[in-house]
Amino acid sequence: MKKPVLACEPSNYTPVAGDFELLEQQDIQTDKNFASQGYWKGVAIHFSRNRRAMVGLVIVVLMILLAVFGPMISGYRYDEIVSALNAKGRKKAAVGISPRIPAIHEFVTGSPYDDIYADKTFLFGTDDLGRDLWTRTWYGARVSLLIAFVTILIDMIIGMSYGLLSGYFGGRVDNVMQRFVEIANSIPRLVIVSVLAIFMPKGIGLVIVALLLTEWIGMSKIARAEMLKMKEQEYVLASRTLGASNTHIIFKEILPNTIGPIITQVMFSIPTAIFTEAFLSFVGVGIVLPQCSIGTLIEDGFNNITTLPYQILPPIAVLALLMLGFNFIGDGLREALAPKLEDM
């Protein structure tokens, strides 16, 4: 009987030229439609295909640029009285609004009234004190955006850490921490602001502290829910088995996988913070004059709505566009971070 040749035994075959060909020299067709791509690249592709999200991004970027560079265009300061009369459009067109000012000037000084800004153009007009509304509107938008971004950044850090720790340890620790969240969430915001107004002066500091005490709660709930879903995954068990510390597991293993919903929550929290700041300034516990924000400008326009109705329009339009833009971005991020099957 002939002995069978095993696969592992060496053969007497000698390779010759042409038997093998390097892989990169072959003409290989790659399916580019379903090529492998990273997670964040996929998020960027889905986000860019969302028309509403792109419209919201354009609106927000435009508002931010105008808030940064808008006050520089006019050349006036936000608290500078550039006209003795109220003006909308050309200064001469609004003389009839306040005809008593020249007469008072001549009566007091004895010299004829001379307005050096009579030939100037004010895009949004001037307010009741003669300050340029264009400058004040974009300076107020800058203040409101600054307050919103600072508070949301700090609230994201506090709420995210609080929620991750609560969900990770669970049990009695989670029970105690969640009872504190429920107590903090049950206190009305106006009560917190009223108490703070007793011990703090009105201004940007009061608004920031009020937002810090209230806006972190929603962030902590999102982070806790993601932690409860992720902490039983296999990669967490593997890290724990290999001896990784709790800090490493929470902030190195689980946090990167929960950042998507947190970013979405941030995008929805920014317009909420802007609206809250505007509301607090409108009721008189926010920004102090002559400094301005969206809320103080709306308050001034509301107080003069019967005599200067145009004064309330610019800050309301800026507030509406900011909230619309950030909400569009939030919706786009939510769909991009968790796309449906028909969108893939």
Side-chain angles (χ1 to χ4, degrees), residues 287-343:
I287 307 301
V288 181
L289 296 175
Q291 202 169 34
C292 59
S293 67
I294 296 296
T296 57
L297 292 174
I298 294 176
E299 180 190 9
D300 290 341
F302 179 77
N303 293 334
N304 299 290
I305 196 169
T306 56
T307 56
L308 305 173
Y310 65 88
Q311 186 176 341
I312 199 173
L313 296 179
I316 285 181
V318 171
L319 178 62
L321 289 174
L322 283 174
M323 298 191 68
L324 185 68
F326 278 113
N327 277 288
F328 280 175
I329 293 177
D331 287 335
L333 283 176
R334 182 172 57 188
E335 296 176 4
L337 291 167
K340 298 179 182 178
L341 184 60
E342 59 267 18
D343 298 331

Side-chain angles (χ1 to χ4, degrees), residues 175-320:
N175 190 28
V176 173
M177 296 179 73
Q178 291 308 304
R179 298 295 81 75
F180 178 78
V181 169
E182 292 175 0
I183 293 173
N185 195 31
S186 63
I187 302 176
R189 184 173 297 170
L190 283 179
V191 175
I192 297 176
V193 174
S194 301
V195 174
L196 289 175
I198 300 175
F199 302 99
M200 295 182 61
K202 298 179 181 178
I204 296 178
L206 175 62
V207 176
I208 292 179
V209 173
L211 291 173
L212 288 178
L213 292 176
T214 56
E215 293 297 324
W216 65 272
I217 298 176
M219 205 78 64
S220 69
K221 292 181 178 180
I222 297 293
R224 176 178 176 269
E226 292 298 317
M227 172 60 76
L228 293 176
K229 183 174 64 175
M230 293 289 181
K231 73 175 184 177
E232 301 298 335
Q233 298 291 328
E234 288 79 4
Y235 68 91
V236 178
L237 178 61
S239 298
R240 191 180 291 113
T241 304
L242 293 174
S245 64
N246 292 330
T247 304
H248 177 85
I249 294 175
I250 293 173
F251 295 103
K252 296 292 185 179
E253 301 290 341
I254 299 179
L255 177 60
N257 294 298
T258 62
I259 200 67
I262 293 175
I263 292 177
T264 304
Q265 179 66 23
V266 167
M267 287 296 105
F268 284 115
S269 298
I270 290 177
T272 303
I274 294 175
F275 181 80
T276 303
E277 181 278 324
F279 172 74
L280 294 178
S281 299
F282 181 81
V283 298
V285 294
I287 307 301
V288 181
L289 296 175
Q291 202 169 34
C292 59
S293 67
I294 296 296
T296 57
L297 292 174
I298 294 176
E299 180 190 9
D300 290 341
F302 179 77
N303 293 334
N304 299 290
I305 196 169
T306 56
T307 56
L308 305 173
Y310 65 88
Q311 186 176 341
I312 199 173
L313 296 179
I316 285 181
V318 171
L319 178 62

